[in-house]
Amino acid sequence: MNHRNEIERQINQSSLVFADMVFHCGESMNQSATLMIEAIRNGKKILWCGNGGSAAQAQHLSTELVGGLRDHDRPAIPSIALTT
């Protein structure tokens, strides 16, 4: 059984959702990033929350800040998932 068409459809749909998200939410995401960077520079920590799958995502995001998303040579960024 070949599932390629369905896989391609779902990936293409996902890319459209991301493009739409940037279009509609880009400025809010920028403001959120600015607030988080400012908090970190002022010695604060980032707190994450969520419910269900979003709780798992909160844990993942917190771990990426503490452990290093792409740059594993930087100091840990204080971050706590309130779901744990």
Side-chain angles (χ1 to χ4, degrees), residues 49-68:
C49 62
N51 184 37
S54 296
Q57 190 66 18
Q59 293 170 23
H60 183 184
L61 291 167
S62 180
T63 300
E64 294 291 2
L65 290 182
V66 172

Side-chain angles (χ1 to χ4, degrees), residues 13-83:
Q13 181 63 34
S14 179
S15 68
L16 292 174
V17 169
F18 281 116
D20 201 40
M21 181 176 63
V22 171
F23 180 78
H24 291 285
C25 303
E27 186 53 36
S28 294
M29 290 187 288
N30 181 60
Q31 291 171 357
S32 297
T34 299
L35 285 172
M36 289 191 295
I37 291 167
E38 185 178 314
I40 292 163
R41 287 183 175 157
N42 288 318
K44 308 293 183 189
K45 67 183 67 138
I46 306 300
L47 303 177
W48 304 91
C49 62
N51 184 37
S54 296
Q57 190 66 18
Q59 293 170 23
H60 183 184
L61 291 167
S62 180
T63 300
E64 294 291 2
L65 290 182
V66 172
L69 179 63
R70 291 186 183 94
D71 182 3
H72 297 285
D73 295 329
R74 65 153 173 80
I77 296 171
S79 179
I80 297 173
L82 299 175
T83 57

